[in-house]
Structure formats: structure tokens, C-alpha cells
Amino acid sequence: MKRICVLPGDGIGPEVVASAVKVMEAASDELEFVHADIGRAAYERHGSYLPGETLKSMRECDSSLFGAVTTVESADYSSPVLTFRKELDLYANVRPVRSLVQISGRPPIDVVIVRENTEGMYTQNEVFDDVGVTTMRKVTRKASERIVGFAIRYARAHGRRRLTCVHKSNVLKASDGLFVSTFRELMASGGRDLEGDEQLVDSCALKLVTEPSAFDVIVTLNLYGDILSDVAAGVAGGLGFAPSGNIGDRHSVFEPAHGSAPDIAGKGIANPTAAILAAAMMLKHLGLGADGSRMEAAVMQFYSSGHLTADLGGRHGSESFTEHVLKNLKPGPKH
Ligand code: ATP
């Protein structure tokens, strides 16, 4: 049995996570669920956005499924997401984006963005002085080696052929330069079976929109990966379509790439696709690949049968989408 820590969070988080849990329960006999609080609900109940008990459950479980949290404008707020990434040493953020539905005027996309998840602009080291604010951006050799090494292994394990390093080393010569030179070294020593190339982040953003087939797997720094994965999700149909995994050597947390979308929370129209695909990624990561693949196939069948969710102008809200996915789920060997 695998134990999954379920963290619904705020906004549409509980809606899309509930849908993903239903689909996981139907897809696999190998799972046990432990529920834990994060975000505003956690603050109201325990006085903390990420209580110690929650972090303990995340550590003890085999993996976690997280919804989303709403950022709070308050002096005592620190992001629970950045905290759990740091505490659990989740150094790789993996965001696969694939078109599940043909959208007029947008080319098909199938790309995996592997984003460095521990440093860059996300160390939140900002210093005020009399003229403004200086933000420190950290790029280390160790973190660059870890993420590039991860991306090489990921590409190989998933039958991908090309790895593109995305950076801005023409301007940030030292920091992004270090990232690129690490990429070159590792590709020359351990990634020779893959095709390697390099791209500036601005032209990568353009090409993701105009010619996404130019990319297979992208490895990049923290902020660039955050932005580019939303661009890629937009090409595929919107934020409701992009799952993501925060992965370390011991722990992992899977989540939809979107946030808590307070504008649509409680309306029953959130698209649970990204959350279900994140749950499928988690099962694959835990060695339950067949169950994860059946979940993905059930989601793909929804779209290939011509159905559309509300975010794409269709008539299916969260509940009716989930019912279709459950109906599409092929029985597993143990059913
Ligand atoms: P947060 O502050 O938590 O990041 P946000 O609304 O600023 O929330 P997102 O949650 O990432 O940012 O979403 C941006 C917009 O995309 C939302 O306002 C919503 O309209 C749409 N959106 C995001 N996720 C979904 C989803 N699963 N289904 C449908 N629409 C979505």
C-alpha cells in the first residue's frame, strides 16, 4: 500500500483535489489517504499556514497531493509552498504540458518543463535601502548540477530525445552562465545519448507559442520555469490543463500548476484535469504506472469524445467532468 497525504488548501484546491481523489480511489487498490490542512483553513484551525503536523504527515507519507493556497497579504505570511519545497528538499519541479484538445489557432504542444525549484529568485532575499529594493538571486553549481542531472535522467526514462537549456546568459553572464556551463558539462559527460541545445528565455517564450514542436524537455532556472510553464499551459488550453510534480530524492508533492483561482471558487466550474493528471504523475512516480496510465487515458477519452469543460467554453463543470472520467476508467487487473 502507498500512503498519500491529501492537502486540498484554498479556493478551487478542495474542488479539484476531491475530484482527483475520487478518480485515484477508482483507479487503484493500492492507496491509503491521510488528510491534512494547509493554507487559510490551516491558519484558522492551527494558527499556521503550514502546521508542523501537516509537514510531519507529508514526510511520513509516500507522497502528497496538494491543491492550491491563496497568498495572504499579511506581515506574518510566509508561503507554505515555498516552505514545504525547502523543508522536503523538493529540488525538481516537473511540468508536462500536452494538448488534449485541438484549439483553433493554437499549434499542438507536448513539452516537459523541468524547473530548478530551490533557489534563483525564490530565495526571497530582498533588501530595502533609500533608493528602492535589491533582490538577491542565487545560482549554485550544486543546484544546477542536481537539476540538469535530474532532467537528463527524466528525459531518458520517459523516452524523450531532446533536452533544451533555457537561460538568459547574454545578460546574466555569471549566474545564468554557470547554469549553462553546467548543462554543457553534464550533457558532454552523461547525456550524450540525448540531443542537447540552448535557447534564450525570451525567444523560448515566443517559440512555445509559435512553434512548440521545437521543444521536447526544457531544463531551466526557477523563475523562467514558472513563467514558461504557464505560457505552455496557455497554448494547451489554459491553466486547468497543466499538472506538476515537486520531486526530491526522498519526498515528492504533486499539484495542478494553477493557483487557487478565487474568482471561480465554489461555482462548480473549476477544471480538475490538471489535478487528476498530477495524481496520475504521482502514481507513476510511486511505481503504480499502470493505474496512473489508466487515469490519463480516461481524461484523454473525455476530450477525444468531443466533450469540453467550462473553461474551454463547454458545458461540463467539475462534477460532470469527474463523472465522465470515472465512467471512462478501464478496469485494472485487480477489479
Ligand atoms: P492564486 O492567487 O492562488 O495564484 P490566481 O487566480 O491569481 O490565484 P490562478 O489560480 O493560477 O491564479 O488562475 C488564474 C486564472 O485562470 C483564474 O482566475 C481562473 O479563471 C483560471 N483558472 C485557473 N485554474 C483553473 C481551473 N482549474 N479551471 C478553470 N479555470 C482555471
Side-chain angles (χ1 to χ4, degrees):
M1 288 301 261
K2 300 287 181 192
R3 290 177 79 219
I4 311 298
C5 182
V6 178
L7 305 152
D10 304 321
I12 61 170
E15 301 167 39
V16 297
V17 165
S19 162
V21 169
K22 272 189 201 157
V23 178
M24 274 194 288
E25 277 173 336
S28 181
D29 297 335
E30 305 284 326
L31 304 173
E32 248 171 47
F33 298 96
V34 174
H35 290 260
D37 291 327
I38 192 166
R40 283 182 178 175
Y43 190 81
E44 278 154 26
R45 276 188 219 143
H46 315 276
S48 163
Y49 294 98
L50 181 62
E53 275 300 300
T54 296
L55 207 47
K56 186 163 172 274
S57 282
M58 295 173 86
R59 277 207 175 90
E60 289 172 356
C61 284
D62 293 289
S63 188
S64 300
L65 181 69
F66 163 61
V69 290
T70 303
T71 303
V72 177
E73 300 297 331
S74 142
D76 71 340
Y77 182 78
S78 64
S79 160
V81 178
L82 293 184
T83 308
F84 73 61
R85 284 178 183 165
K86 190 168 167 204
E87 289 290 325
L88 304 177
D89 197 21
L90 306 174
Y91 62 88
N93 192 309
V94 181
R95 296 186 166 191
V97 180
R98 182 160 43 144
S99 304
L100 298 181
V101 61
Q102 179 62 48
I103 299 174
S104 131
R106 294 190 214 169
I109 185 167
D110 179 7
V111 63
V112 181
I113 298 176
V114 177
R115 156 186 169 198
E116 201 292 316
N117 214 23
T118 64
E119 55 183 33
M121 293 293 261
Y122 288 71
T123 45
Q124 291 186 299
N125 188 352
E126 299 194 299
V127 183
F128 285 88
D129 57 29
D130 358 324
V131 285
V133 182
T134 303
T135 301
M136 305 296 284
R137 176 173 176 277
K138 189 166 190 167
V139 178
T140 65
R141 178 171 292 281
K142 182 182 165 218
S144 304
E145 279 174 358
R146 272 209 309 186
I147 196 66
V148 174
F150 178 95
I152 291 173
R153 292 192 302 279
Y154 179 95
R156 193 176 287 138
H158 291 79
R160 302 256 172 181
R161 297 297 321 138
R162 178 189 290 196
L163 183 57
T164 305
C165 175
V166 173
H167 60 90
K168 189 73 184 169
S169 72
N170 54 337
V171 175
L172 298 163
K173 292 189 184 0
S175 53
D176 281 26
L178 173 61
F179 191 77
V180 179
S181 61
T182 306
F183 173 78
R184 288 178 191 156
E185 279 163 31
L186 265 70
M187 285 299 281
S189 57
R192 272 185 299 212
D193 52 320
L194 300 170
E195 203 183 310
D197 65 2
E198 297 165 19
Q199 183 94 57
L200 293 175
V201 63
D202 40 355
S203 49
C204 175
L206 174 75
K207 249 185 170 174
L208 273 174
V209 175
T210 57
E211 193 197 339
S213 59
F215 302 106
D216 192 358
V217 179
I218 287 172
V219 62
T220 190
L221 296 115
N222 207 337
L223 180 64
Y224 307 151
D226 193 6
I227 297 168
L228 292 176
S229 52
D230 275 21
V231 172
V235 175
L239 286 172
F241 289 84
S244 106
N246 299 275
I247 299 172
D249 292 332
R250 293 186 57 198
H251 303 288
S252 56
V253 178
F254 292 81
E255 55 172 315
H258 59 75
S260 63
D263 57 330
I264 57 165
K267 295 185 178 164
I269 53 169
N271 183 350
T273 298
I276 298 174
L277 295 179
M281 269 177 92
M282 177 171 68
L283 298 200
K284 289 180 171 184
H285 182 74
L286 293 175
L288 302 172
D291 294 338
S293 296
R294 286 184 305 106
M295 286 171 63
E296 284 174 355
V299 170
M300 278 151 67
Q301 194 184 328
F302 171 88
Y303 292 105
S304 62
S305 340
H307 295 300
L308 283 182
T309 43
D311 50 340
L312 291 178
R315 63 183 176 86
H316 294 282
S318 322
E319 210 177 302
S320 115
F321 169 82
T322 308
E323 276 165 20
H324 274 84
V325 173
L326 288 169
K327 252 187 252 152
N328 293 344
L329 203 58
K330 299 274 177 294
K334 289 191 179 172
H335 288 258

